[in-house]
Amino acid sequence: MPREPRFDPLFEPIRIGPVTAPTRFYQVPHCTGMGFALPETLAAMRSVKAEGGWGTVSTEYCSIDPSADDLPSPYATIWDQGDVRNLAKMAHGVHQHGALAAIELWHGGFRSSNLLSRVTPMGPMSQMAGKAPVQSRRMDLADIRDYRRAHKAAALRAKEAGFDIVYVYAAHGYLIAQFLNRAQNQRDDAYGGSLENRARILLELLDETKEAVGDTCAVAVRIELDDEVAPGSDPTGEKIALFEMIKDLPDLFDVTISDYGQEMGVSRFHAQGSLEPFLKDVRARVKKPVLSVGRYTAPESMLSLIKSGTLDLIGAARPSIADPFLPKKIAEGRMDDIRECIGCNICYASNIQGVPLRCTQNPTMGEEWRRGWHPEIVTRAATPEKMLVVGAGPAGLEAALTLGRQGHEVMLAEAARDLGGRVLAEAQLPGLREWIRVRDYRAHQLSKLGNVEIFRESRMNAADVREIGAAHVFTATGSHWHKNGIGRTHSAVVPSFADARTLSPDEIMAGTRPSGPIVIFDDEGYIMASALAELLAKEGLDVTYVATAGLVSAWSFYTNEQHLAQARLIESGVKIVVSHAVTALMSGSAELACVFTGRKHEIACNGFVPVTSREPNDELWRSLCADPESNTSAGIKSITRIGDCKAPAFIATAVHDGHRAARELAGETIFRRDRALVS
């Protein structure tokens, strides 16, 4: 159906210097875990976003030369003609769908240790570098001149590669931001001291980039609205003064804030639109197109920002990952088909770990080139067959949806009354309510398919499955948390954990409560243990959180929330004991052992919740596989376990596994490797 006319402002073209963006949907620069090493993967992913209606599609941070090397974090490069060729493929793919291509030129300053290039790091001062115990050198005037020349040369290469918008990157604590920061920049020359001096390098780069490429390319600046020294405010008025100084130079202002933990915040701690209080006067101040982000997924919110004059373009990173076709769905009046970001930051984690993007909501993210997957298109089955999916958690829902879209006759059986599996329980934990979107999106899409039938409160055994007469069976029966202690620390059952005081995370989430004091033992490292500790503390219970790692929810560093999780527990009154394992339950106490020295001590314990590992609920799968003759007699051609009942992991892993199983049943088994080949 056509879109509602009131959304037309989102689809109006806008002039940005010498170029015109076709719509107000702008995919801002965001990391991908692909970088210079996976150019085919990168180009295909960005091209799909342009196909989906994003009017401008940007690269990730793109190093200008070997003095800006951020490995092991993946980053793009535009050092030479080889990079021009590779990035031109991305720009061409974006242009094929009528979108603009933007590139973010980057130098990390002292934040880059240059572990690959082994060029000495540099910055305004000699400071500790990132990722290694080394320091940067203090840039002299010759270094500054060389940097300016390198930036200009990179801008010219970007123009040659076909980019329409070239960024001067003055945010997120990188080199230009280091010069602007009055605490980090203690120079006593023309590039330090007063704001005018500290901003000199930014003005020079804007001038020189405009001179080099401004005839055909727009020049954008990515810059923070608040003070880096006093995040969330502008106590000295320097930021207002800085915007006044540069307002006539860029063609586009991409504005953000200094607290990256908020800008890139998880939904557990930050709501959508958390940057809005900072945006109110920017557009009037600069009188140039302004864009910003806010993890917006609702068309109404986007429209409001445009109509109110707050923004000219809606910036997005994570929403464009969760649904590359979000703009097109709004354009076609299919808002109910939008696959909304849940703010879990699994995408961010994949990049930090140096692997291509993945997404809880969008299993095709990062697979566009490697597996040939498209987020909106699946191959229709030449000969539809009868499919049975047992279990309507994340994996089962995704498998049923994909099989249904392939045209098969699908029966989805769920033992419980409500669909969703583990998502139902986890979405009830503090701050995780947006996670229910994993269930809601798939349940709604399934309701549109006449060839999919859902059976609730239908627990199945092997005999039931065989009676159905399905050609292919998928078991998606989930998993349950161990109570016996098996995990990273204890490879075998801890006998004393078989105690009336012991409750599993599943039991806590189902409403069972121990009496205090409660000990929660985190041997897993993600967010379950800290979320349970917060939940119980908010109910007034006495909680001690014990972790084998040296931090609360240590793995959540990768999702950019570890510091927030630890702060939340401290604020909630939870007692925290790190670098210890619970080794036994004693009478009225829990025995703890230091992971380094083995020294033991006891703490009071009337309730115990081990968060260690999960056991696959694979009984149905094993029962079916145990009698292949009966399966053959029943007409069953294949039995596939998917999701947590195969190997408990992230929700994103379960969704991907369900999607992949359906694709592979259809013969989509391609797996290409994006790599350099020696000639």
Side-chain angles (χ1 to χ4, degrees), residues 605-621:
C605 176
N606 286 332
F608 178 55
V609 186
V611 184
T612 57
S613 68
R614 287 173 281 166
E615 181 67 22
N617 297 331
D618 61 358
E619 297 87 353
L620 175 60
W621 175 79

Side-chain angles (χ1 to χ4, degrees), residues 357-369:
L357 278 182
R358 57 213 57 200
C359 175
T360 298
Q361 281 283 62
N362 177 12
T364 69
M365 177 50 56
E367 305 285 16
E368 299 86 354
W369 182 83

